[in-house]
Amino acid sequence: MSGIRRYLMRKSMIYALTFVFAVTIDFVIPRLMPGDPIGVLLSRFATLPDVANYLHGYFIEAFGLNKPLWQQYLSFWNAVLHGDLGISIYYYPKPVAQIIKEALPYDLALLLPSIVVSWVVGNWLGAYAGKSKRFDSYLMPVFYFLQASPYFWFAILLAYIFTVKLGLFPISGAYGYGVLPSFSWEFIKDYLHHWILPFLSLFFVQLGGWAIGMRNMIIYEVEADYIRYLESLGASERLLMKHAFKNAMLPQITGLALQLGLIVAGNVTVQVVFSYPGIGYILMQGIMNQDYFLIQGCFLVIILTVLVANFTIDLLYALVDPRIKYAYTEEGA
Amino acid sequence: MLRVNDLKVYYKTPSGYIKAVDGVSFEVKKGEIFGIAGESGCGKSTLVNSLILRKPPMIHMGGEALLEGKDIMTLDEKEYRKIRYTKISIIPQYSLNALNPTKKIREIVWDLAKEHGYTDKEEIESKLRERLRMVSLSEQVANMYPIELSGGMKQRVVMVVSTLLDPKILIADEITSALDVTNQRIILELLYYFIKEEKIVDSIIFITHDIGLLDKIADRIMVMYAGKAVEIGPTEKIINKPTHPYTQLLLNSLPRLGINYEKERLQGIPGEPPALLKPPSGCRLHPRCPYATDICTMKEPEMIEIEKSHFVACHMYRG
Ligand SMILES: Nc1ncnc2c1ncn2[C@@H]1O[C@H](COP(=O)(O)OP(=O)(O)OP(=O)(O)O)[C@@H](O)[C@H]1O
Ligand SMILES: [Mg+2]
């Protein structure tokens, strides 16, 4: 079997196992939360205790919460595999899948650009710092500051400076109250206006980490023997950087895979700060209201995105680094 | 071909200058293999690296190195870059790590050739394939990554890569020390073939700490001790009639056939090579030299020609 195939087989198995494990945890966690989800839902009927009592029994049955745990677990798996995420308790009777479908575009529009742009800019600045001592001493403290900032803290900082103090950007939502989502110029302008601060929060915090990683790798690679050899044979600065950059980049791709979970989590907290209606914000609503199904649904989507993204990165890595292919061919031989 | 005069190359460190090469003069003639021998740390690599790539902490403190009449110690960066690979090239001591692990051999070669103004990729690649065959490797190796090669193969590939643009002078720094005996012999034969039969390079500077190896391939030998040249001469003179006490010690430390080393212990060189941060006064060998006298501790011996093209720096041979 070819090296790449072996590698992919092994990776797929690891990912399948991770998925089963994560889904199980996803099932267990909300049920470990103290309190009664239906009670929260019925608090609206507090003035009508009889109705509330009746409805309580009805809903417990309807959501299957009276069944033994293992049965709930099995039907949960059954539902997951059929793409059925159940009905939200809090947004009753809206299906969880629908809520997520509405929220997801907001996440992607925040996450993808922030990851890509911060990765590219961070690597670029990092390589620059690694090359030039002068830049290095100015930039490194900034990188360290950014990297050490928690996402929510940085989001609050930006909100404080740009909204509270300067009044430049709105503080909550994905668009203003007066406008309706459409492809009009007006909406897009309004949308971007709301988008910029959450985006910058994600962008800057990620940027620091990428830049530091790249800077250290470049410094390491530039000292490597193969660079010295190229230089001894008359390679220009440009060619040396080209070779060093590619090799310094490889760990950064792995880094991306490792960081992805943290970035997605960062996205959740940033959305909470800016009341930005993506999965993160919905998840928060689910947790505050003990909405098992909503929580499960949100986590499931998060798990899936992280796994799929990681898998893509692993694939990419195998394609750009011959050592991976070779390691697996070697073993097979 | 190459004429080096009183070359001084130091390393700048926080505790002072390390005088790794301290006033060395020699000449490499066209068509010859010039061997340099000496203990580990005596400055062999520093000497040859300074010819091809000087960068901090290595600094040129004096002297010249004339290659085809031009002093490579004072070339500007652009000209210096141009003569690398085309005029002077190196198989470095770290050959086994010299190839970028994530590039195919032909990519590395093409990247380098482009830097020297080559524009015909097919020409370079077919030359690469031809040279790979010359060192008994498959043409396929051009398409491989360095990690797919064994140590012996890598050494041969680096040899091919380093000589692909037909440099005038090739530096070969300890190219056999990481190899087993079979591969050592193959590499030596190939090197010999490259210069004497194919005339791919004009001259070779061959560095080793094993002076016995030079007997087989070098035309002339320079023996170095603690940053200085102590003896230079034709191979048979140096090997059969060593004159400098250090050359004698070096040769005596070699294992010889027909001697039972169980009974007669192999004679190492007594004492330690000196630290080059603060080398001994006078003749640098005097603390370890069996013949040392007063003058040796005070005055540095000059290089003198004791017979035709045989030079020695030792007070015993004055006048
Ligand atoms: N980058 C460096 N910085 C400081 N000192 C160095 C550096 N490289 C080498 N030296 C010192 O310079 C001296 C000569 O080193 P060099 O590598 O030239 O020796 P060598 O004769 O090639 O030894 P070997 O046979 O072990 O390769 C040694 O004392 C070594 O410690
Ligand atoms: Mg050396």
Side-chain angles (χ1 to χ4, degrees):
Chain A
M1 200 176 341
S2 81
I4 285 283
R5 288 255 312 270
R6 278 177 71 85
Y7 173 75
L8 287 185
M9 288 271 294
R10 186 169 299 185
K11 282 281 171 196
S12 310
M13 257 166 58
I14 292 171
Y15 279 109
L17 269 174
T18 315
F19 180 67
V20 171
F21 202 67
V23 167
T24 306
I25 290 179
D26 184 23
F27 171 81
V28 174
I29 294 279
R31 285 171 174 75
L32 290 179
M33 284 165 57
D36 168 15
I38 306 298
V40 176
L41 171 65
L42 294 182
S43 55
R44 313 171 195 178
F45 299 100
T47 47
L48 305 163
D50 286 348
V51 180
N53 252 344
Y54 169 74
L55 284 177
H56 193 268
Y58 170 79
F59 276 120
I60 289 279
E61 193 139 329
F63 285 114
L65 295 177
N66 56 344
K67 292 196 190 131
L69 217 53
W70 65 268
Q71 257 184 33
Q72 289 185 40
Y73 180 63
L74 284 188
S75 56
F76 177 59
W77 261 109
N78 186 32
V80 164
L81 294 179
H82 286 88
D84 171 13
L85 303 178
I87 308 251
S88 162
I89 302 176
Y90 177 64
Y91 291 103
Y92 186 82
K94 218 171 176 182
V96 171
Q98 162 121 30
I99 299 172
I100 287 177
K101 217 171 81 188
E102 285 170 13
L104 206 53
Y106 291 111
D107 288 281
L108 295 180
L110 263 188
L111 268 179
L112 290 183
S114 80
I115 292 175
V116 172
V117 179
S118 69
W119 198 77
V120 171
V121 176
N123 279 326
W124 188 77
L125 281 178
Y128 217 72
K131 248 174 59 175
S132 145
K133 277 234 159 57
R134 223 165 58 88
F135 261 94
D136 198 35
S137 47
Y138 291 131
L139 287 178
M140 278 314 273
V142 180
F143 295 154
Y144 275 117
F145 169 75
L146 291 177
Q147 192 211 22
S149 309
Y151 285 97
F152 78 92
W153 182 85
F154 199 79
I156 291 172
L157 185 73
L158 287 189
Y160 178 74
I161 297 173
F162 290 101
T163 308
V164 179
K165 283 286 161 197
L166 300 175
L168 288 178
F169 296 100
I171 195 160
S172 92
Y175 47 84
Y177 287 112
V179 286
L180 285 176
S182 66
F183 269 108
S184 67
W185 174 232
E186 198 170 338
F187 174 72
I188 293 174
K189 221 171 68 182
D190 188 55
Y191 171 81
L192 286 178
H193 201 206
H194 283 77
W195 174 85
I196 195 89
L197 281 189
F199 167 78
L200 287 181
S201 313
L202 289 168
F203 168 77
F204 276 119
V205 176
Q206 291 176 58
L207 179 81
W210 298 133
I212 293 171
M214 189 61 179
R215 177 252 188 198
N216 292 345
M217 280 315 296
I218 280 284
I219 288 178
Y220 175 80
E221 291 292 333
V222 162
E223 293 293 317
D225 283 340
Y226 70 87
I227 290 292
R228 214 180 127 125
Y229 182 58
L230 287 172
E231 197 174 4
S232 297
L233 298 188
S236 59
E237 173 88 17
R238 220 194 78 263
L239 182 61
L240 298 181
M241 277 329 266
K242 194 182 116 189
H243 278 240
F245 195 73
K246 184 188 169 191
N247 290 354
M249 200 75 150
L250 295 173
Q252 292 292 85
I253 299 178
T254 334
L256 190 57
L258 291 173
Q259 287 291 309
L260 218 72
L262 281 182
I263 298 168
V264 170
N267 179 41
V268 170
T269 57
V270 166
Q271 286 183 1
V272 171
V273 171
F274 291 103
S275 308
Y276 202 80
I279 301 281
Y281 182 70
I282 302 284
L283 176 64
M284 191 67 183
Q285 296 298 322
I287 293 170
M288 307 268 271
N289 296 291
Q290 297 225 320
D291 189 337
Y292 290 0
F293 301 98
L294 197 56
I295 299 174
Q296 282 170 356
C298 289
F299 270 127
L300 195 67
V301 171
I302 291 176
I303 291 165
L304 272 176
T305 22
V306 171
L307 288 184
V308 168
N310 267 293
F311 193 68
T312 318
I313 291 166
D314 278 341
L315 222 118
L316 207 74
Y317 199 66
L319 288 181
V320 289
D321 191 344
R323 283 170 288 196
I324 297 244
K325 194 171 79 190
Y326 187 62
Y328 280 81
T329 337
E330 183 87 312
E331 239 173 280
Chain B
M1 186 97 226
L2 175 71
R3 169 88 242 164
V4 173
N5 290 322
D6 197 26
L7 185 63
K8 292 188 171 131
V9 182
Y10 296 176
Y11 291 104
K12 191 173 182 166
T13 70
S15 37
Y17 289 111
I18 295 183
K19 305 185 176 82
V21 173
D22 205 11
V24 171
S25 305
F26 63 94
E27 185 185 7
V28 179
K29 296 177 182 142
K30 189 166 175 171
E32 78 170 347
I33 300 181
F34 183 74
I36 301 180
E39 276 170 294
S40 183
C42 70
K44 305 180 297 293
S45 296
T46 307
L47 171 61
V48 288
N49 285 335
S50 78
L51 298 176
I52 199 161
L53 181 66
R54 290 183 301 277
K55 51 191 221 172
M58 183 197 284
I59 27 182
H60 169 233
M61 296 293 284
E64 54 181 14
L66 304 169
L67 178 61
E68 293 179 328
K70 259 197 197 152
D71 183 11
I72 46 184
M73 293 296 147
T74 54
L75 285 180
D76 67 57
E77 194 45 45
K78 205 169 138 221
E79 273 183 283
Y80 194 17
R81 199 161 76 69
K82 261 199 287 193
I83 67 159
R84 293 180 189 144
Y85 206 6
T86 53
K87 294 247 160 73
I88 183 165
S89 184
I90 186 167
I91 307 174
Q93 185 163 9
Y94 52 86
S95 287
L96 299 187
N97 304 316
L99 298 166
N100 183 349
T102 63
K103 294 269 184 190
K104 292 178 177 168
I105 308 301
R106 64 176 166 79
E107 293 171 336
I108 296 173
V109 165
W110 176 234
D111 274 353
L112 281 169
K114 263 192 303 190
E115 298 283 281
H116 293 285
Y118 286 80
T119 49
D120 187 348
K121 193 170 178 182
E122 189 36 48
E123 175 201 333
I124 290 290
E125 292 195 349
S126 74
K127 196 167 172 191
L128 171 63
R129 289 193 298 267
E130 180 195 326
R131 294 278 169 91
L132 285 172
R133 275 202 313 270
M134 252 187 225
V135 298
S136 339
L137 288 173
S138 142
E139 286 184 0
Q140 271 314 105
V141 169
N143 266 322
M144 290 187 181
Y145 292 98
I147 41 160
E148 299 176 72
L149 308 171
S150 72
M153 287 165 90
K154 255 187 222 165
Q155 189 63 270
R156 275 185 265 177
V157 168
V158 172
M159 188 168 149
V160 166
V161 172
S162 291
T163 53
L164 202 80
L165 300 187
D166 306 333
K168 304 249 187 288
I169 292 190
L170 175 67
I171 297 162
D173 191 356
E174 299 281 10
I175 59 172
T176 55
S177 43
L179 304 176
D180 61 51
V181 184
T182 321
N183 271 306
Q184 280 189 12
R185 216 198 57 235
I186 294 174
I187 284 286
L188 288 186
E189 277 167 7
L190 286 172
L191 206 60
Y192 200 79
Y193 175 74
F194 263 44
I195 178 172
K196 303 279 165 159
E197 309 268 330
E198 293 288 329
K199 305 221 186 313
I200 288 171
V201 296
D202 287 346
S203 315
I204 294 177
I205 302 178
F206 188 94
I207 294 177
T208 177
H209 56 258
D210 177 4
I211 195 169
L213 266 186
L214 293 180
D215 191 16
K216 300 189 190 101
I217 93 161
D219 297 300
R220 288 190 309 130
I221 295 178
M222 170 164 87
V223 178
M224 279 182 77
Y225 181 76
K228 298 261 182 200
V230 295
E231 184 165 2
I232 302 177
T235 301
E236 73 278 0
K237 291 262 167 62
I238 301 278
I239 301 282
N240 301 324
K241 231 179 76 189
T243 312
H244 196 281
Y246 181 69
T247 314
Q248 293 167 1
L249 286 169
L250 207 55
L251 279 162
N252 281 337
S253 71
L254 287 181
R256 264 162 300 163
L257 279 178
I259 291 182
N260 184 349
Y261 287 108
E262 295 266 332
K263 285 198 207 114
E264 206 171 324
R265 287 277 305 280
L266 187 58
Q267 226 186 324
I269 303 175
E272 292 282 315
L276 296 177
L277 198 56
K278 245 181 142 190
S281 61
C283 172
R284 292 187 178 182
L285 186 63
H286 82 257
R288 297 170 83 186
C289 182
Y291 315 109
T293 56
D294 280 352
I295 186 165
C296 302
T297 62
M298 292 171 326
K299 189 165 178 290
E300 209 185 304
E302 270 170 41
M303 216 17 136
I304 44 174
E305 192 166 15
I306 51 163
E307 55 188 317
K308 196 172 175 314
S309 42
H310 187 176
F311 302 83
V312 180
C314 178
H315 289 303
M316 289 200 295
Y317 301 94
R318 248 173 331 140

